[in-house]
Amino acid sequence: MRNQCASRTMAPRWWLLILCLAGNELHGRAQLDSRGFINIDCGLQGEESYVNDETKLVYVSDAGFTNSGTPYNISAENYRPWRSRNVRSLRSFPDGVRNCYTLGSLVSGLKYLFRATFLYGNYDGLNKRPATFDLYIGVNFWMVVNMSWWGLDQDNTATVEAIIVVPRDLVQVCLVNTGGGTPFISGLELRPLKMSLYPQVTAEVRLFLLRRRNFAAINGTIIRFPDNPYDRLWYPRSDATMWAEMTTTERVDDVNGDEFEAPMAVLQTVIKLLNTSGSIKFGWEVAPELNNVSPGPGYLAVLHFVELELLGGDALRQFNISVNHDESWVPGYTPLGFLRKAYVYNKFTNPRDSSYIVTIKATANSMLPPIINAYELFSVIATTNVGIESQDGNQFN
Ligand SMILES: *[C@@H]1O[C@H](CO)[C@@H](O)[C@H](O)[C@H]1NC(C)=O
Ligand SMILES: *[C@@H]1O[C@H](CO)[C@@H](O)[C@H](O)[C@H]1NC(C)=O
Ligand SMILES: *[C@@H]1O[C@H](CO)[C@@H](O)[C@H](O)[C@H]1NC(C)=O
Ligand SMILES: *[C@@H]1O[C@H](CO)[C@@H](O)[C@H](O)[C@H]1NC(C)=O
Ligand SMILES: *[C@@H]1O[C@H](CO)[C@@H](O)[C@H](O)[C@H]1NC(C)=O
C-alpha cells in the first residue's frame, strides 16, 4: 500500500502539505515499552525484536510503523563490530516523494525527544555518492539530511535529534525525496521527557540538537541510557594538549527545579585548562540543514559546571563566558560549591553572525583555571501550522 502523498513530481514544500491532507496513514501500533520509549530498528528482518547489548532496551522492527519502502542490510564490508546494531539494517524509499513512519500511543501536549539515525553503508551495492533528503515531523520541516555532512569522524552515521511538544497522540516522521537520491533511515527512537525539562520547548517552539558534548568522558564512551534516564546521547570530548581531566565517583548534588537534568555520569567528569592563561573554546556554524527555515532559527546554548576540587578558603575560580565578542554574556562566573550542580544557558534570537564561538576565560582575579563538564547546543525553531495540526480529523502530522 503506497502512501497517497507519493508523487513523482518535485513539489515545493507547502504543496506537499496540501497533497498529504488526502494521504492515508497507518494507525501507529502501540509499541511503547514500559518507559514510554519507542525503539525502532528500521529494516529489521528475520526477527521481530532484540535487546540492545549496551542499553538493554528492546528494539523492534519497523514493520508496524510504515507501509512503504524496502528493507536492506548494509553491505558486509561496511560491518563494524563497534557500531550499534541499529545501523546494520535500514529501510529505503525508492518510490514516492513523501514516505512516513507513524508513531502512535503518544500523549498529546507532552514533550518528547525524537532521534533518527542514518547510515548508508553501501546497502544497495552501488557505492553511490551520499543521498540528500528532507525530514519532517508532521507538517513541520525538521531538517535536510545531507549524508555528506557526516564524515568519518562521525563514522559516516547521521544522528539527528529534536525536542518537541506533540500536538496529537499520533505523530508522523516523514522522509521527503528532494531529488538528491533515495531517502533511507536506519533507526527511529522516541523518548518522553518531563514537561519541566527544556522549558524553552512549547507548542510553538521546538529544539533541534546541534551538538551535545561531555568533556573528559571516561574511556571516551558515549553516555546514554541507563546512565541518562531520558537516553540523550552525550558524546565524549577530550584534548590532553589543552585540558587536564578530573573525575570523581562521589555524588553530585541535585538541584531543585533542574531544567536540563544532565546525568550524574556527565557531571562527574570535568576538564580544566592547563593554566589560567588561554581559554576553553567551542562553537557552531549556522546550521546548513536548517537553511530553509524562515524566519531563521535562533540558538540555545546550555553549559554545565560542577566544581570537583575541594578548594581552600580563598582559592577563587572565576571566569568570563563570552560568545563572539559579547563579553557580557556571563561575566565573573564562579561554579557553585564542591560537587554542586549548576548550569548557565542563553537563547540567541535573531542571530546575525554565521558562526559562534563560546570562550571561557579566567578573570584577572581568578587563581584557578576555568572548567566545564558538558554543553548542549540547539537550534530554536518556531512550529508552523500549530492551528492546523490541532484540528480534529486532520490526516497528517
Ligand atoms: C539482514 O540480515 C539478517 C541476519 O543475517 C537476515 O535475517 C535478514 O533477512 C537480512 N535482511 C535483508 C533485507 O536481507
Ligand atoms: C550536500 O553537502 C555537500 C557538502 O557540503 C555539498 O557539496 C552538496 O551540494 C550538498 N547537497 C545538496 C543537495 O545540498
Ligand atoms: C574503562 O576501561 C577500563 C579498561 O578497559 C575498564 O576496566 C573500566 O571499567 C572502564 N571504565 C568505565 C567507566 O567504563
Ligand atoms: C599555559 O598552557 C599553554 C598550553 O596550553 C602553554 O602554551 C603556556 O605556555 C602556558 N602558560 C604558562 C604561563 O604556563
Ligand atoms: C571579564 O569580564 C569583565 C566584565 O565584562 C571585564 O571587565 C574583564 O576585562 C573580563 N576579563 C577577561 C580576562 O576577559
Side-chain angles (χ1 to χ4, degrees):
M1 186 169 51
R2 181 89 40 87
N3 190 323
Q4 282 175 16
C5 299
S7 144
R8 286 217 163 260
T9 52
M10 294 298 146
R13 288 191 172 86
W14 63 268
W15 240 110
L16 287 169
L17 307 183
I18 311 285
L19 286 172
C20 291
L21 276 166
N24 50 18
E25 72 182 22
L26 277 176
H27 280 276
R29 253 204 266 160
Q31 295 275 20
L32 306 184
D33 73 7
S34 59
R35 295 169 196 86
F37 288 10
I38 295 179
N39 309 314
I40 303 173
D41 188 337
C42 305
L44 182 69
Q45 276 199 321
E47 59 189 320
E48 277 279 290
S49 66
Y50 62 85
V51 175
N52 176 289
D53 291 340
E54 188 195 343
T55 60
K56 309 297 177 210
L57 296 172
V58 176
Y59 281 70
V60 300
S61 123
D62 58 356
F65 297 93
T66 184
N67 52 21
S68 52
T70 313
Y72 284 95
N73 288 330
I74 59 170
S75 68
E77 78 271 14
N78 278 280
Y79 174 79
R80 304 281 182 278
W82 66 80
R83 278 189 182 141
S84 152
R85 180 152 175 205
N86 206 2
V87 298
R88 278 188 221 161
S89 64
L90 57 102
R91 184 172 291 269
S92 130
F93 297 96
D95 297 318
V97 169
R98 181 184 169 103
N99 288 279
C100 299
Y101 280 76
T102 304
L103 308 179
S105 308
L106 310 188
V107 181
S108 162
L110 290 194
K111 207 171 275 184
Y112 290 86
L113 181 153
F114 286 73
R115 184 163 53 233
T117 310
F118 311 84
L119 173 68
Y120 168 60
N122 193 23
Y123 71 85
D124 51 8
L126 300 173
N127 250 321
K128 277 190 298 207
R129 67 178 172 78
T132 300
F133 47 90
D134 284 1
L135 205 58
Y136 280 74
I137 298 181
V139 298
N140 286 276
F141 173 69
W142 181 354
M143 66 187 298
V144 174
V145 179
N146 179 341
M147 291 305 297
S148 47
W149 295 334
W150 282 273
L152 266 183
D153 52 337
Q154 284 114 339
D155 202 22
N156 298 117
T157 304
T159 304
V160 302
E161 199 182 285
I163 300 177
I164 74 171
V165 168
V166 302
R168 294 175 59 202
D169 57 2
L170 208 118
V171 170
Q172 288 200 310
V173 174
C174 302
L175 293 88
V176 173
N177 189 328
T178 51
T182 302
F184 66 90
I185 182 167
S186 307
L188 189 57
E189 298 167 301
L190 178 128
R191 280 86 181 86
L193 298 179
K194 277 202 304 216
M195 282 307 275
S196 57
L197 288 182
Y198 299 100
Q200 297 77 13
V201 177
T202 63
E204 288 79 33
V205 175
R206 308 175 159 208
L207 292 181
F208 298 152
L209 184 69
L210 288 169
R211 208 166 296 154
R212 182 182 291 117
R213 291 284 181 273
N214 172 27
F215 288 103
I218 291 171
N219 293 347
T221 52
I222 295 174
I223 306 258
R224 58 177 303 182
F225 189 87
D227 289 319
N228 186 185
Y230 306 105
D231 195 32
R232 286 169 292 183
L233 302 182
W234 298 81
Y235 287 90
R237 180 86 177 91
S238 292
D239 188 336
T241 66
M242 294 189 288
W243 312 317
E245 303 187 353
M246 283 183 294
T247 64
T248 182
T249 52
E250 293 194 58
R251 279 193 66 80
V252 171
D253 287 342
D254 285 329
V255 289
N256 285 332
D258 188 345
E259 296 155 297
F260 302 102
E261 295 196 9
M264 183 85 76
V266 165
L267 299 177
Q268 286 173 325
T269 67
V270 75
I271 54 158
K272 63 174 173 183
L273 264 185
L274 295 175
N275 58 44
T276 50
S277 52
S279 52
I280 298 172
K281 285 181 200 265
F282 54 87
W284 70 96
E285 308 268 303
V286 167
E289 64 271 31
L290 295 170
N291 60 11
N292 295 307
V293 175
S294 175
Y299 297 98
L300 172 71
V302 186
L303 281 53
H304 301 273
F305 300 99
V306 178
E307 181 59 74
L308 299 187
E309 280 179 279
L310 199 46
L311 304 179
D314 52 2
L316 178 69
R317 191 190 308 280
Q318 190 188 53
F319 41 87
N320 286 350
I321 310 171
S322 57
V323 176
N324 290 359
H325 299 292
D326 178 12
E327 286 280 349
S328 63
W329 179 25
V330 189
Y333 181 75
T334 294
L336 293 178
F338 184 53
L339 296 176
R340 292 187 57 203
K341 187 193 261 193
Y343 52 80
V344 300
Y345 64 90
N346 197 24
K347 231 165 114 171
F348 305 90
T349 47
N350 304 317
R352 275 158 295 160
D353 295 336
S354 60
S355 66
Y356 292 81
I357 305 281
V358 176
T359 302
I360 305 177
K361 187 173 174 28
T363 63
N365 295 335
S366 186
M367 286 162 263
L368 299 162
I371 59 166
I372 183 168
N373 296 70
Y375 68 87
E376 298 173 88
L377 299 173
F378 296 92
S379 299
V380 181
I381 307 291
T383 304
T384 50
N385 296 312
V386 176
I388 294 178
E389 285 198 54
S390 55
Q391 276 168 25
D392 271 346
N394 196 309
Q395 280 301 296
F396 66 97
N397 166 37

